[in-house]
Amino acid sequence: MKPDDRDSSSRSLALSTRLFLATACLCLLAVLGWGFLSIPLPQAGLRDAVNAQIGISGVSNPVTAVLLNFRAYDTLLELAVLLVAVLGVWSLGRATPTPRPPGPVLISFAGILLPLLILVAAYLLWLGAHAPGGAFQAGALLGAVAVLLHLIGRDTAWLPPMGLRLIFVSGTAVFLAIGMAVTSAGRAFLEYPPAFAGILILAIEATATVAIGAILGALYVGGSPGSTRRRPDDKVLGA
Amino acid sequence: MTTSVLYGLTGIALFVLGFYGLIAYAELLRKILAVNIMGGGVFMVLVAVAYPGSDSQPDPVPHAMVLTGIVVAISAMALALTLSRRVNKRSDE
């Protein structure tokens, strides 16, 4: 921050430019607002199309049906985006270690919170089939578990070096494998047989939840653990 | 009806606010936050369009798109933050 201050103030805009920009933004606001108000609102959209097909989707929550069945391709690529993001973060360098050791309050609080978070994540994952919930909500909670573990100094060093990488890839890999496997029965890519759709979606969501949680935790840590060269440190953290 | 108009216009206001912040400030962190606010505005507009009133079921497709969008936004923001830290470290040296 300190060396940048002078630099950024010299780069900040003059008052006249700022006023021009503000005027331009107000015009943009007016145009977008007018555009929004001219949409005929309430719109059914694709609601009726989803409702007509939901019986064969394997779940009864329409949002989960869209995410994991009707538009499963989007969700598959979304998991791939997460994977690419963590690849990018890891390739930008090592994580900086947490600056100070955790206090006793944080450690005992984490002891209460961690099992609760995992339990609620499992509940949300199960709930997703028939009510709002699902892999991403549950994965976000597992991400919080990973962040807490990082903050109390219990990192993932107890995993074998390949373990974390396998977990990262597992979400995309299982999704892709199931999507490909159904094509052997003459169906399209990701077109689940209706009789097994429910269990296939649950399998995809369960692995995706763990992968999302692990990836979100790794994104928070913000760098690769560097397990090959910092072996002694890692052992201290994991002990 | 009025609920979705209120939410939609608020979303558009957030989008424009974020757009202003993106251009007006030079610091990378502010730019990243501004893009995030723009994204939040877009999500609000999508949810508002999907809301038909309290007495009927909303359109699930925009909801699914917003969920996907949130995850993509988080990934992009994490990568951008790591990149900006790297840039700051480089310019300190």
Side-chain angles (χ1 to χ4, degrees):
Chain A
M1 199 66 192
K2 291 146 278 163
D4 272 358
D5 273 351
R6 184 168 33 93
D7 203 5
S8 56
S9 63
S10 67
R11 272 185 296 164
S12 73
L13 302 173
L15 184 66
S16 57
T17 323
R18 212 166 264 267
L19 277 177
F20 173 74
L21 179 62
T23 320
C25 281
L26 282 177
C27 292
L28 181 67
L29 182 70
V31 170
L32 288 178
W34 177 73
F36 178 77
L37 289 176
S38 60
I39 300 173
L41 264 186
Q43 286 214 345
L46 291 168
R47 184 184 64 206
D48 300 330
V50 170
N51 283 340
Q53 298 288 323
I54 198 158
I56 60 160
S57 74
V59 290
S60 60
N61 176 15
V63 177
T64 307
V66 171
L67 271 177
L68 270 304
N69 199 332
F70 303 145
R71 291 184 66 99
Y73 200 68
D74 288 0
T75 310
L76 172 64
L77 288 180
E78 171 188 351
L79 288 171
V81 166
L82 274 169
L83 193 61
V84 169
V86 82
L87 278 179
V89 168
W90 271 27
S91 54
L92 281 171
R94 300 247 187 80
T96 44
T98 36
R100 55 201 162 88
V105 175
L106 180 59
I107 290 179
S108 53
F109 182 59
I112 301 168
L113 208 55
L114 286 173
L116 204 64
L117 279 171
I118 294 172
L119 198 67
V120 176
Y123 173 67
L124 273 180
L125 174 64
W126 179 253
L127 195 69
H130 51 88
F136 294 105
Q137 290 86 337
L141 285 181
L142 287 191
V145 168
V147 169
L148 257 181
L149 281 175
H150 176 70
L151 288 180
I152 62 170
R154 297 250 166 195
D155 259 315
T156 47
W158 47 271
L159 277 171
M162 277 309 280
L164 201 55
R165 288 154 207 249
L166 283 178
I167 293 176
F168 288 168
V169 179
S170 66
T172 317
V174 168
F175 207 148
L176 203 58
I178 289 177
M180 299 289 275
V182 295
T183 60
S184 65
R187 295 175 169 273
F189 180 59
L190 288 170
E191 184 194 349
Y192 321 125
F196 301 106
I199 190 76
L200 289 180
I201 286 177
L202 188 64
I204 292 170
E205 284 205 297
T207 39
T209 301
V210 178
I212 292 167
I215 290 177
L216 290 180
L219 291 180
Y220 174 83
V221 173
S224 69
S227 54
T228 43
R229 263 171 282 181
R230 276 189 29 209
R231 207 68 201 141
D233 275 8
D234 288 343
K235 275 194 180 136
V236 171
L237 280 177
Chain B
M1 177 61 198
T2 43
T3 314
S4 40
V5 168
L6 184 66
Y7 271 73
L9 290 182
T10 311
I12 289 171
L14 278 177
F15 178 85
V16 174
L17 207 62
F19 185 67
Y20 176 83
L22 176 66
I23 297 177
Y25 298 107
E27 294 96 337
L28 284 176
L29 183 61
R30 286 196 185 214
K31 283 190 190 290
I32 294 168
L33 287 177
V35 171
N36 229 31
I37 291 172
M38 287 172 77
V42 173
F43 297 150
M44 269 185 88
V45 172
L46 268 174
V47 170
V49 170
Y51 181 70
S54 54
D55 49 345
S56 60
Q57 186 206 340
D59 181 3
V61 176
H63 280 246
M65 285 166 73
V66 168
L67 262 178
T68 309
I70 288 172
V71 178
V72 172
I74 287 179
S75 313
M77 173 140 140
L79 189 56
L81 283 174
T82 318
L83 276 171
S84 74
R85 266 175 60 181
R86 180 82 175 202
V87 167
N88 286 343
K89 212 193 269 176
R90 270 289 160 86
S91 44
D92 281 355
E93 275 164 14

